[in-house]
Amino acid sequence: MWRLLVPRCCVVCGNTLQEGEEVVCLRCNMDLPRTGYHLKPDNPVERALWAKMPLVRASSYVYYRRGGSYASVLHLLKYKGRKDIALSLGKQAAAELMPSGFFEGVDVIVPVPLHPRKQRSRGYNQSEWLARGLSAVTGIPVDGKSVTRDKDTDTQTHKSVMERQDNVAGIFSLHAPEAFKGKHVLIVDDVFTTGATVTACADALDGVEGVQVSVLTLAVAGS
Ligand SMILES: [Zn+2]
């Protein structure tokens, strides 16, 4: 009923969405600044992580530019309750990355957890909704419970790279190591900047026998 009263609008341009369009209109979708990183082994996201963690593969779906026309999309999905955007873009990213074999061998998707206090105030974890979108298309299950965030870190915007690393190091805990034994885990986050957050999350899996880690984020800072 709600949809009959309020037209659904494209989150980028604001035009009314047509039938079959979800969240982003066809035109804006075509212009989405895709990275194509899943087709590029040794892409910048993988390079940024190599020295920090043992990695199978990594990618980010789109570029994120501060103030760019798509930056508002990330703001909406992270802070404004629009988990439907995360779900929809998660599905879309999965559909586009799947033919390249990006998800091959992945056993479980682990969204980077929020601190429980932050999740309560925000009402949801945007990375978990991204993961649900990925899962809906790939059929790979989501585990949003075995890794937790023990510290509510401050916003990282004004910190240097080193400070960010320190800020998140050791903030995640693994509660059920046996759940990941011999598994290929895909860590999912919304934005990739320095890689400190996904690295800290991967650190929590360190020591689990036979575990393998890949990383996928919705966006990566850059052009
Ligand atoms: Zn649009």
Side-chain angles (χ1 to χ4, degrees):
M1 276 310 275
W2 182 243
R3 284 186 178 177
L4 296 175
L5 300 171
V6 180
R8 299 178 312 133
C9 294
C10 169
V11 293
V12 181
C13 71
N15 287 344
T16 304
L17 291 174
Q18 305 301 311
E19 190 151 357
E21 291 177 341
E22 237 182 73
V23 173
V24 178
C25 77
L26 204 59
R27 196 191 173 88
C28 292
N29 206 329
M30 277 168 57
D31 292 338
L32 212 61
R34 292 169 172 79
T35 65
Y37 282 176
H38 59 292
L39 302 173
K40 299 174 193 150
D42 308 352
N43 68 59
V45 175
E46 292 188 348
R47 282 173 180 275
L49 293 174
W50 276 344
K52 298 178 183 143
M53 58 189 274
L55 181 75
V56 179
R57 61 184 88 97
S59 188
S60 295
Y61 180 47
V62 294
Y63 292 112
Y64 164 79
R65 293 180 203 90
R66 194 179 288 266
S69 48
Y70 290 87
S72 59
V73 177
L74 285 162
H75 185 76
L76 288 170
L77 80 82
K78 193 166 184 162
Y79 300 110
K80 299 290 177 186
R82 294 294 305 271
K83 52 191 185 220
D84 61 309
I85 300 177
L87 182 69
S88 176
L89 290 181
K91 284 187 206 163
Q92 184 172 315
E96 289 179 30
L97 268 60
M98 201 141 83
S100 72
F102 186 84
F103 300 101
E104 233 155 72
V106 175
D107 298 299
V108 60
I109 302 172
V110 172
V112 169
L114 293 178
H115 187 270
R117 188 167 42 213
K118 187 167 278 175
Q119 175 142 355
R120 266 197 304 278
S121 68
R122 200 175 285 178
Y124 65 103
N125 173 3
Q126 70 279 2
S127 297
E128 189 178 335
W129 283 82
L130 272 173
R132 288 186 195 189
L134 297 171
S135 177
V137 171
T138 61
I140 302 166
V142 177
D143 183 337
K145 296 219 156 39
S146 297
V147 179
T148 56
R149 191 178 196 124
D150 307 324
K151 233 194 279 174
D152 192 4
T153 44
D154 295 323
T155 176
Q156 306 223 316
T157 324
H158 302 294
K159 291 190 162 62
S160 72
V161 172
M162 280 306 291
E163 283 172 330
R164 283 184 205 181
Q165 204 94 39
D166 291 344
N167 200 31
V168 291
I171 67 166
F172 297 103
S173 297
L174 175 61
H175 297 281
E178 65 282 359
F180 296 123
K181 200 174 158 189
K183 296 281 168 69
H184 184 170
V185 179
L186 179 66
I187 296 175
V188 169
D189 203 3
D190 53 354
V191 182
F192 187 97
T193 44
T194 62
T197 306
V198 289
T199 302
C201 196
D203 282 347
L205 303 174
D206 195 29
V208 176
E209 197 186 326
V211 76
Q212 290 183 295
V213 178
S214 288
V215 169
L216 178 61
T217 70
L218 176 62
V220 58
S223 55

